[in-house]
Amino acid sequence: MTLLSTKATCNTHGQDSSYFLGWEEYEKNPYDEVLNPNGIIQMGLAENQLCFDLLESWLAKNPDAAGFKRDGNSIFRELALFQDYHGLPAFKKALVEFMAEIGGNKVTFDTSHIVLTAGSTSANETLMFCLAEAGDAFLLPVPYYPGFDRDLKWRTGVEIVPIHCASSNGFQITAAALEEAYQEAHKRNLRVKGVLVTNPSNPLGTTMSRGELNLLISFITAKGIHLISDEIYSGTVFSSPGFVSVMEILKDRKCDNTEVWNRVHIVYSLSKDLGLPGFRVGAIYSNDKIVVEAATKMSSFGLVSSQTQYLLAALLSDKKFTKNYISENHKRLKQRQKMLVAGLQKAGIGCLKSNAALFCWVDMRQLLHSNTFDAEMELWKKIVYDVRLNISPGSSCHCTEPGWFRVCFANMSEDTLNIAMQRLKTFVLDSTVNGRNQNNHHSPKNSKRRSPKWVFRLSSPDRNRESDER
Ligand SMILES: Cc1ncc(COP(=O)(O)O)c(C=O)c1O
């Protein structure tokens, strides 16, 4: 018998997913150009490190912002004491203006609708607490961001029911897939409280089309349920078609102040668009007053520190800076994504055409020795241990087709990306020169030496749904 709670001892957190295990392996043997050139290159972390110079240069020119000062005078005491869970008004204003700016000012956001949270992680969980009871379900298109098992389910007891998306139409959501997921939840005696999407998508790296967004609005209207749109990558869209916020669709459909208007909620964060995941700054934007009030009270469990709010209020209020940052960030991301796609191409590997986010959704089906998730896992282990690249297997995103991997491109230097592509090319060449299924014929001695000790307990219920698409 244990004196600990079931929550503390259960494994629904998802920590044993290959998504997190890959990070652990990277930590044991991290690549460093000088100190560890044979180490594992981290390509499983969606971080944007491409524009630190712009942020650092702004900080150097604005020393008051990070120095607890206003007009040269110390405001240390004010910041040390301030902790109103409604957030700093100047920061909330700057944040909603930034959200509008990255969306091309097609919609404006009202500060009274926003709740500050410690990143999107906290925003998504808080919304679950506000919208659902333990045992209720949210429908999510698969593949989805692996962290959602932790963020949406773990502490809340909410269930995720997959909306199956397939490679045959570029993993887009269809009306039939939505209805099938809804019926599946009913079969499992789960009450469906809403749909949650990421737009742009993690892990696909694509923006949602107006058609998909309209479909979602029609669906949640017909079913009388909520829609959460996690728009954490909305400022990380670097090619056409551009980003369309669900709020824009609501406006177009003249849904203002209707019932459905109150059932649509946005999640945002500065972790990706500004590359500041360590600052823990996120937000919920909701049209429902009661949700805003409840989430504000709940935000006590994950506030954004006052000095962070103060610093970012100054940074985001500098419109000259934000304008330049947004356009420069897009330029650099676009170039970097092109580099990855070209590098993959040289290795004979394709990927889903993408226009956003910090990763590509890479198709390695031709490298599998069979169309199964066991084969995907085998390939993944080879890529982590032999090629020494940590990438995320599709199964960790609950993808229903084996052979897809999420590969990040913005958390390293160009040189490191080139080395990663060179390693991958050599691996593919070796595999194909020695026969398509050479991966299968690794000497047992060798694989024993390199094999990880951990056992994979993939939490995906779809694991055994072998694709018959191929
Ligand atoms: C879709 C999505 N939502 C939420 C998060 C969590 O972000 P944050 O660092 O703001 O908590 C991530 C991080 O990768 C993400 O990709």
Side-chain angles (χ1 to χ4, degrees), residues 119-121 124 145 148 198 202 230 232-233 269 271-272 280:
S120 283
T121 302
N124 278 314
Y145 161 57
F148 280 151
T198 59
N202 181 359
D230 181 336
I232 188 171
Y233 295 100
S269 152
S271 295
K272 313 296 176 180
R280 308 309 304 139

Side-chain angles (χ1 to χ4, degrees), residues 91 95 98 268-277 281-282 312 316:
F91 175 58
L95 184 64
F98 184 65
Y268 186 61
S269 152
L270 296 176
S271 295
K272 313 296 176 180
D273 293 349
L274 269 195
L276 299 175
V281 184
L312 293 176
L316 295 180

Side-chain angles (χ1 to χ4, degrees), residues 264-329:
V264 177
H265 320 276
I266 290 181
V267 164
Y268 186 61
S269 152
L270 296 176
S271 295
K272 313 296 176 180
D273 293 349
L274 269 195
L276 299 175
F279 277 33
R280 308 309 304 139
V281 184
I284 293 167
Y285 189 90
S286 174
N287 294 319
D288 186 325
K289 213 168 150 257
I290 300 172
V291 170
V292 172
E293 280 169 10
T296 303
K297 284 185 244 163
M298 288 184 196
S299 71
S300 291
F301 298 105
L303 292 173
V304 182
S305 75
S306 45
Q307 74 266 36
T308 299
Q309 291 189 52
Y310 179 70
L311 162 62
L312 293 176
L315 181 96
L316 295 180
S317 307
D318 183 341
K319 301 296 178 213
K320 201 170 149 212
F321 168 79
T322 54
K323 189 165 180 257
N324 177 56
Y325 179 93
I326 291 168
S327 80
E328 189 59 33
N329 188 36

Side-chain angles (χ1 to χ4, degrees), residues 55-332:
L55 293 165
E56 282 166 346
S57 139
W58 186 89
L59 285 171
K61 284 188 212 139
N62 296 274
D64 276 10
F68 307 141
K69 285 184 181 160
R70 185 184 297 127
D71 303 325
N73 301 315
S74 173
I75 54 160
F76 170 76
R77 292 179 183 202
E78 191 184 314
L79 291 176
L81 293 174
F82 168 80
Q83 198 44 278
D84 175 352
Y85 64 26
H86 288 95
L88 209 62
F91 175 58
K92 284 173 36 170
K93 179 172 179 293
L95 184 64
V96 291
E97 285 173 4
F98 184 65
M99 285 165 68
E101 189 181 1
I102 56 181
N105 287 312
K106 282 175 257 157
V107 277
T108 51
F109 297 97
D110 186 331
T111 49
S112 67
H113 292 220
I114 203 156
V115 180
L116 300 179
T117 58
S120 283
T121 302
S122 172
N124 278 314
E125 190 193 53
T126 301
L127 274 175
M128 286 301 115
F129 277 122
C130 291
L131 308 180
E133 309 293 344
D136 287 346
F138 261 76
L139 312 180
L140 266 73
V142 288
Y144 64 74
Y145 161 57
F148 280 151
D149 291 321
R150 171 198 61 203
D151 306 349
L152 309 180
K153 287 166 62 175
W154 182 39
R155 300 198 299 185
T156 65
V158 167
E159 297 285 337
I160 294 176
V161 175
I163 301 165
H164 294 293
C165 299
S167 58
S168 51
N169 73 344
F171 296 96
Q172 288 202 29
I173 300 170
T174 63
L178 278 169
E179 190 56 38
E180 195 195 317
Y182 193 82
Q183 295 309 330
E184 172 62 26
H186 275 254
K187 257 191 249 156
R188 289 169 56 189
N189 283 326
L190 300 172
R191 182 170 57 157
V192 177
K193 294 306 287 287
V195 178
L196 185 148
V197 295
T198 59
N199 179 28
S201 163
N202 181 359
L204 302 177
T206 54
T207 45
M208 284 188 130
S209 65
R210 282 177 185 274
E212 274 178 293
L213 290 164
N214 272 305
L215 178 66
L216 286 167
I217 297 294
S218 302
F219 182 75
I220 63 142
T221 306
K223 303 292 189 198
I225 56 176
H226 294 275
L227 174 63
I228 299 174
S229 178
D230 181 336
E231 300 185 353
I232 188 171
Y233 295 100
S234 49
T236 306
V237 181
F238 43 82
S239 300
S240 60
F243 168 71
V244 181
S245 171
V246 69
M247 284 298 162
E248 197 182 326
I249 300 291
L250 284 178
K251 291 249 170 182
D252 288 353
R253 291 169 67 126
K254 310 219 178 326
C255 290
D256 313 37
N257 304 318
T258 61
E259 240 191 80
V260 74
W261 176 252
N262 280 5
R263 294 204 305 268
V264 177
H265 320 276
I266 290 181
V267 164
Y268 186 61
S269 152
L270 296 176
S271 295
K272 313 296 176 180
D273 293 349
L274 269 195
L276 299 175
F279 277 33
R280 308 309 304 139
V281 184
I284 293 167
Y285 189 90
S286 174
N287 294 319
D288 186 325
K289 213 168 150 257
I290 300 172
V291 170
V292 172
E293 280 169 10
T296 303
K297 284 185 244 163
M298 288 184 196
S299 71
S300 291
F301 298 105
L303 292 173
V304 182
S305 75
S306 45
Q307 74 266 36
T308 299
Q309 291 189 52
Y310 179 70
L311 162 62
L312 293 176
L315 181 96
L316 295 180
S317 307
D318 183 341
K319 301 296 178 213
K320 201 170 149 212
F321 168 79
T322 54
K323 189 165 180 257
N324 177 56
Y325 179 93
I326 291 168
S327 80
E328 189 59 33
N329 188 36
H330 288 177
K331 223 187 290 168
R332 295 183 190 184

Side-chain angles (χ1 to χ4, degrees), residues 379-453:
L379 175 63
W380 178 69
K381 286 183 206 170
K382 281 194 174 75
I383 294 175
V384 173
Y385 289 96
D386 296 354
V387 191
R388 283 158 286 113
L389 305 178
N390 177 43
I391 61 177
S392 308
S395 51
S396 68
C397 306
H398 302 263
C399 186
T400 48
E401 298 176 31
W404 293 86
F405 290 81
R406 193 192 77 167
V407 180
C408 297
F409 55 74
N411 62 323
M412 68 198 79
S413 69
E414 280 191 8
D415 288 348
T416 307
L417 181 58
N418 279 328
I419 290 167
M421 290 301 99
Q422 194 51 52
R423 286 185 187 176
L424 199 59
K425 191 175 161 196
T426 309
F427 169 69
V428 175
L429 219 80
D430 284 355
S431 307
T432 40
V433 162
N434 298 321
R436 183 163 172 261
N437 294 338
Q438 184 261 2
N439 292 336
N440 232 353
H441 305 304
H442 257 43
S443 80
K445 201 171 137 218
N446 192 31
S447 43
K448 198 170 178 193
R449 182 169 52 84
R450 294 193 187 264
S451 259
K453 296 239 164 32

